[in-house]
Amino acid sequence: MSTAPIPDGRRACCGLCRHFDNRPETVEQLIPGLRTMGSGYSSVKSRDGICQLHDRYLAAEYHCPSFQEATATA
Amino acid sequence: MSQTASLRAASSGWRTLFQQEDWWAIWIGLGLLAAAVLLFDAGASMKWIAVTPQKWHTLDQLLLQVEANAGRYILLFGLWAGVLGIGVYALGISLRQFLPAFLFIYVVSVLIFFLGEWDRAHEYNLEPPLVALALGLVIANLGKLPAWLESGLRVEFYIKTGIVLLGATLPFTLILWAGPVAITQATIVSLATFGTIFWAGKKLGLDRRLAATLGAGGAVCGVSASIAIAGAVGAKKEHAPISISLVVFWAIVMIFALPIVARSLGLPTGVAGAWIGTSEFADAAGLAAAQAYGGYSGNVPGVTGNPEAAVRAFTLMKVIGRDVWIGIWALVLSVVATTRWEQTGVQGRAGIGEIWRRFPKFVIGFLLASLAVTAIAQGYSFAEYKSTVEPNLVAPIKNLRTWAFIFCFFSIGLTTRLSAFTRGGAKPFYAFTLGVAVNVVLGYVLSTQVFSGFWTALGQ
């Protein structure tokens, strides 16, 4: 399965999807215990986040057929 | 959610230099070091503000010390609140919430540090790292913490800042000398531990992505490895918390167990530090154990070696031997998950850039700090180094490092919920615990038998 381009030319991936949330504060809330000896703001977390559709914790570079572009971008 | 998700995903390049706490630990650690060097060059020293409690015997001595240095402790709070405040503000954490929370952490840390300097503290095992952790655990688990305190509990931020400062107290030549041995020993144990947990997990019928997350958590760098590998392999949302709860449980057990066992065996500080570095599961937890053990030297009969050697050996083993390889683990497991394991509805495979993206960047600061102080020391004879450089440049940095570690140890206790340890059920516990057994025994054999002479020499 290849990632389809979205209108502005970027490749569709979880990091650009509305189902995906990788904000550090959200990740720390949704992964209990993370703050005890880790952090949502660390390098090793990279841009990983939570896909609410598939209920998975995954890298922003993942992709799937259910991609829906986030409506507002930077 | 969508807007912020896009913003965070687009963050890359130079922006990450101000959006990740690893980089802020570097800016703060190297900034403090630069200030110390400038003062040293000007014939002054940072030691006035980098105050620490001194040994005391009676309450009168303690009160006199507090009275004489109250202003220094207030200014030290200002320094820490200022530099850490800039960092957390840049990370998007509310300063209004962070500052009162940090004030609480600072005040309790001062009390713990003073208690640790009581001349009979070692008789009662009142080493500051262990007291900080135990006190935090009691407070957090007896009731619910107030919400305003949460913002100050930045365990990783404190420990990374402390490790960058630690670099300034560790000669670069020592890193070059000991690094290869640390990497060799850590690699043997990491591969054996991961293999054991992953094999046991598969035999027990666990999802391979959970088994891999558990394996990396036990073998590489604890909680950080758990989230890095969970993300790289696309684990279920509940997999990372299961692994994290087991890592934290065993890390807390080992904080107390490893120093006690090493002490009963009379291990030299360098050997014990290497064992802790091999067999602890998280940087913060291991540093608590190593620092506590270093404190035994000269205070507990039978424990020999330089007090600094435990922390040095631990850091070489854990940071250089294990932590820096997390990107390679993530890359390999991502490729294996995509090509060999069952499909999950999402796809993706990491590229070579994964190694740098997940690299624990604070290690760069640790190495730069070590290089800088080693270069400065080159211009002095050994006698000059001991009489001038060490007391006026290195000692104040070491004091600041100790403060950062105590903030961290107290925060670990305050963020640990004992009720969370039952998360995940029996099978992950059995798999992880088997890995713990292999890890501890193999780490002991390598530290005390195979490389014993090397780690003993490190402490002399």
Side-chain angles (χ1 to χ4, degrees):
Chain A
M1 183 174 69
S2 62
T3 53
I6 53 179
D8 63 4
R10 292 174 296 173
R11 307 300 295 185
C13 65
C14 296
L16 300 172
C17 178
R18 65 185 298 268
H19 301 297
F20 184 75
D21 194 340
N22 63 358
R23 288 174 296 176
E25 60 274 27
T26 310
V27 171
E28 287 189 350
Q29 276 175 3
L30 295 177
I31 299 190
L34 174 57
R35 287 197 314 145
T36 303
M37 292 181 195
S39 169
Y41 297 84
S42 64
S43 294
V44 297
K45 172 187 163 286
S46 190
R47 293 174 292 174
D48 300 350
I50 290 168
C51 169
Q52 305 287 12
L53 186 67
H54 294 283
D55 237 12
R56 286 189 177 272
Y57 180 74
L58 34 76
E61 293 75 22
Y62 269 83
H63 54 86
C64 82
S66 306
F67 174 80
Q68 290 182 20
E69 187 184 5
T71 50
T73 55
Chain B
M1 174 183 85
S2 53
Q3 183 175 7
T4 310
S6 297
L7 278 167
R8 288 287 184 185
S11 297
S12 59
W14 65 270
R15 283 194 209 175
T16 60
L17 300 181
F18 302 100
Q19 290 178 335
Q20 287 178 348
E21 76 186 358
D22 287 58
W23 287 110
W24 274 105
I26 294 177
W27 306 141
I28 292 169
L30 293 186
L32 289 170
L33 176 59
V37 170
L38 287 174
L39 284 169
F40 178 70
D41 271 353
S45 171
M46 200 184 240
K47 64 185 175 188
W48 191 84
I49 197 168
V51 58
T52 55
Q54 303 302 305
K55 284 275 180 217
W56 56 276
H57 179 65
T58 63
L59 269 181
D60 284 344
Q61 291 173 342
L62 171 66
L63 292 173
L64 272 175
Q65 211 184 121
V66 172
E67 195 179 331
N69 295 305
R72 296 170 72 188
Y73 284 102
I74 291 170
L75 277 178
L76 180 64
F77 169 75
L79 175 69
W80 276 122
V83 296
L84 294 170
I86 293 170
V88 298
Y89 180 75
L91 294 175
I93 297 167
S94 164
L95 263 185
R96 192 172 294 178
Q97 291 178 358
F98 173 78
L99 288 176
F102 180 69
L103 176 62
F104 173 76
I105 290 166
Y106 180 79
V107 169
V108 177
S109 297
V110 169
L111 297 176
I112 291 167
F113 209 157
F114 268 104
L115 180 64
E117 292 304 319
W118 178 32
D119 64 357
R120 297 185 64 190
H122 293 286
E123 293 174 29
Y124 300 97
N125 281 325
L126 295 176
E127 284 74 25
L130 305 184
V131 173
L133 180 75
L135 181 64
L137 276 171
V138 170
I139 294 173
N141 289 280
L142 280 183
K144 187 169 166 32
L145 289 182
W148 60 267
L149 193 53
E150 298 286 337
S151 296
L153 308 180
R154 303 302 325 171
V155 171
E156 282 282 286
F157 195 26
Y158 302 142
I159 202 72
K160 286 169 182 171
T161 303
I163 290 175
V164 173
L165 293 170
L166 172 65
T169 64
L170 195 67
F172 195 71
T173 44
L174 188 67
I175 297 175
L176 293 178
W177 176 67
V181 175
I183 290 169
T184 303
Q185 179 170 330
T187 302
I188 293 168
V189 177
S190 292
L191 290 172
T193 305
F194 180 87
T196 302
I197 296 174
F198 189 77
W199 172 82
K202 270 178 59 183
K203 286 287 176 194
L204 289 165
L206 298 182
D207 183 314
R208 292 180 198 210
R209 287 173 171 80
L210 173 56
T213 303
L214 290 170
V220 192
C221 49
V223 170
S224 294
S226 296
I227 60 160
I229 300 307
V233 302
K236 287 181 185 171
K237 195 168 77 178
E238 64 270 24
H239 287 170
I242 291 171
S243 181
I244 287 169
S245 65
L246 289 168
V247 165
V248 172
F249 171 75
W250 279 112
I252 298 275
V253 169
M254 292 300 164
I255 287 175
F256 295 100
L258 290 176
I260 290 170
V261 175
R263 176 177 170 165
S264 69
L265 295 170
L267 297 184
T269 49
V271 174
W275 184 26
I276 294 167
T278 314
S279 299
E280 249 296 359
F281 302 99
D283 290 1
L287 275 165
Q291 188 164 310
Y293 199 79
Y296 294 156
S297 178
N299 293 299
V300 173
V303 177
T304 59
N306 184 331
E308 275 289 283
V311 167
R312 287 179 172 183
F314 167 82
T315 308
L316 288 163
M317 185 65 68
K318 184 70 174 64
V319 176
I320 305 296
R322 294 166 66 188
D323 292 359
V324 299
W325 308 104
I326 185 60
I328 293 175
W329 282 93
L331 175 63
V332 170
L333 288 169
S334 170
V335 172
V336 171
T338 307
T339 56
R340 305 281 300 273
W341 296 347
E342 65 277 13
Q343 298 300 303
T344 61
V346 291
Q347 290 191 351
R349 183 194 295 186
I352 198 80
E354 185 82 351
I355 296 172
W356 169 246
R357 271 201 300 277
R358 294 194 190 275
F359 185 82
K361 313 292 190 304
F362 71 93
V363 178
I364 297 170
F366 165 79
L367 294 174
L368 286 176
S370 173
L371 259 176
V373 174
T374 304
I376 290 167
Q378 294 300 309
Y380 296 86
S381 67
F382 182 71
E384 288 171 333
Y385 178 84
K386 296 301 277 186
S387 65
T388 307
V389 182
E390 191 168 274
N392 294 311
L393 176 61
V394 177
I397 293 294
K398 187 180 158 194
N399 290 348
L400 292 176
R401 174 196 95 185
T402 305
W403 281 113
F405 286 166
I406 295 180
F407 303 153
C408 166
F409 303 148
F410 186 45
S411 299
I412 291 177
L414 288 174
T415 50
T416 301
R417 300 291 179 275
L418 300 179
S419 58
F421 289 154
T422 53
R423 185 184 297 129
K427 288 180 179 178
F429 178 80
Y430 294 147
F432 195 89
T433 302
L434 189 61
V436 171
V438 169
N439 184 309
V440 170
V441 172
L442 196 53
Y444 174 80
V445 170
L446 290 172
S447 302
T448 65
Q449 306 298 321
V450 181
F451 298 113
S452 168
F454 183 86
W455 296 116
T456 303
L458 185 95
Q460 291 168 346

